[in-house]
Amino acid sequence: MRNLTMHLTGAALCALCAFAPAAALAQVSPPGTTAAGEDEARGDNARAAQLYRQGNEAFKQKRWSDAELLYLKAWALVRSFDIAANLGEVQLQLKKPRSAAAFLAFGLRTAPPSAKPEQIARMRHFLDEAKAQVGTLRVRVTNVRDAEVFVDGERVPAEEAKHEVYLEPGPHVLVLRRAGYEEEVVRLVAGPGVTETSTQELRPKAEKAPEAAATVPGAAGSGAAGAPVQGDVKPNATAAGETKAPAAGAQVEEPRSWVPVIALGAASAVGLGVAVGFTVAANGASADMRTQRAAIYGDGGGCLETSDAFNRRCDELYEIGSRAESFGNIAMVSYAASGALAIGALAYALWPRAGAATSTGVRLLPEVHALGGRVTLSGAW
């Protein structure tokens, strides 16, 4: 039974007894709670304790899916640190490191002072194991305290958003929202075992200016404000059917220059070639990283609490993983740049023009950083 109860503290061990629910699962009723409300709370605690005991039995027999289901049902009734800790361990066994990290982090944050040092150490060990398989993101908004955090369209619970958000490795879209402020969108790439901080400042929404008056003040002698004076003639008006020749000095439409289209198309092809090259490099680095990790594990080593014999190999593993992430980021930016250039060429080719262009030029400004990248395309022709 030791492996089943090492998450439980003194009074919490009562959850395994038939006489009383665990103290860790008990909730203190607020003043003024009705008798019916107290009975309901006691019923939830008793039911959660029963489910917790059943989950422990499934844990002991290594029936991981059954244990997860029972712990989740208990968690829906009472959120306690011991349920979260056991649930996190089970989900690690089920290859669900992102969810496991969230539960284990909750267990560490809410563990009572009576928790034994070995219990805290066990939770921290499994949390480190889970975080080695996922990306960790810390979100900081400098000017707003209660901004909502969304990742890939799903709202992150405020409790998690205040501390750490755990992400599956790969690209993600982070969205920050707050009433009265512009929505902030950040694209990022999460790497296994990588912890990053996204610091943002939300911009207040600009107030809409009142619409201009629709009427135009009338000229002197008009019957009413905004009414045109009888006999007024609009400038440049011609009789029906009359063709007016261009005025002296007016711009005349000139043949379109195809130089920008050719330049943008060529740049798009180059960007696509760069993207493919870095994609191949990123895939190669990822394969090297998997090979290195398998070799370390095959020799009986690990990189969470490694010995001196594996320090150099673990350092090489981290370096390969970092290189794979960097190559992947550059490839993503190159794909985006290639697409933007192609769209720019097509837009220029199809866009109607009323007059001759005064200058021709294209400028491409790529930016690459740890959380992703962007490309700024500008031009005049």
Side-chain angles (χ1 to χ4, degrees), residues 103-347:
F103 281 114
L104 289 164
F106 176 90
L108 277 174
R109 290 196 305 267
T110 60
S114 57
K116 296 180 180 179
E118 56 267 26
Q119 296 169 335
I120 301 298
R122 183 181 179 89
M123 284 189 286
R124 184 170 288 113
H125 167 77
F126 283 111
L127 177 58
D128 290 342
E129 183 177 332
K131 290 174 68 173
Q133 304 175 52
V134 300
T136 302
L137 176 65
R138 294 168 182 161
V139 182
R140 302 291 182 263
V141 181
T142 58
N143 62 329
V144 175
R145 302 184 63 181
D146 55 349
E148 292 183 299
V149 178
F150 294 82
V151 174
D152 300 332
E154 294 187 7
R155 185 178 182 276
V156 179
E159 174 67 16
E160 294 182 28
K162 286 192 306 183
H163 298 91
E164 291 181 340
V165 180
Y166 303 107
L167 306 173
E168 296 289 349
H172 298 277
V173 178
L174 170 69
V175 178
L176 304 176
R177 293 176 185 167
R178 171 66 159 81
Y181 291 82
E182 298 287 346
E183 184 180 86
E184 186 72 18
V185 179
V186 180
R187 299 185 182 277
L188 54 93
V189 179
V194 178
T195 299
E196 298 186 78
T197 300
S198 177
T199 303
Q200 305 295 331
E201 180 177 349
L202 300 186
R203 293 172 296 177
K205 289 183 177 180
E207 296 183 0
K208 292 183 178 181
E211 296 182 0
T215 59
V216 178
S222 61
V229 179
Q230 186 175 3
D232 284 352
V233 180
K234 295 181 180 179
N236 300 328
T238 59
E242 179 183 353
T243 302
K244 185 176 181 180
Q251 288 185 343
V252 180
E253 183 175 356
E254 296 180 359
R256 185 186 304 271
S257 171
W258 294 102
V259 173
V261 177
I262 297 173
L264 288 170
S268 176
V270 172
L272 181 60
V274 172
V276 172
F278 276 102
T279 298
V280 172
N283 292 340
S286 297
D288 292 343
M289 182 176 64
R290 290 192 296 270
T291 301
Q292 178 77 335
R293 183 188 293 117
I296 293 173
Y297 290 163
D299 292 340
C303 292
L304 290 179
E305 296 180 0
T306 183
S307 64
D308 293 340
F310 290 94
N311 282 341
R312 182 181 59 81
R313 297 172 67 182
C314 287
D315 290 341
E316 292 177 358
L317 177 62
Y318 296 146
E319 181 181 353
I320 295 171
S322 177
R323 186 167 65 252
E325 180 185 3
S326 299
F327 286 163
N329 287 342
I330 296 174
M332 288 182 59
V333 174
S334 300
Y335 280 122
S338 176
L341 290 168
I343 292 173
L346 181 62

Side-chain angles (χ1 to χ4, degrees), residues 54 57-68 70:
Q54 294 172 355
E57 289 299 320
F59 188 109
K60 179 180 179 181
Q61 299 169 18
K62 297 185 178 181
R63 293 186 288 112
W64 307 121
S65 296
D66 294 339
E68 180 190 34
L70 291 165

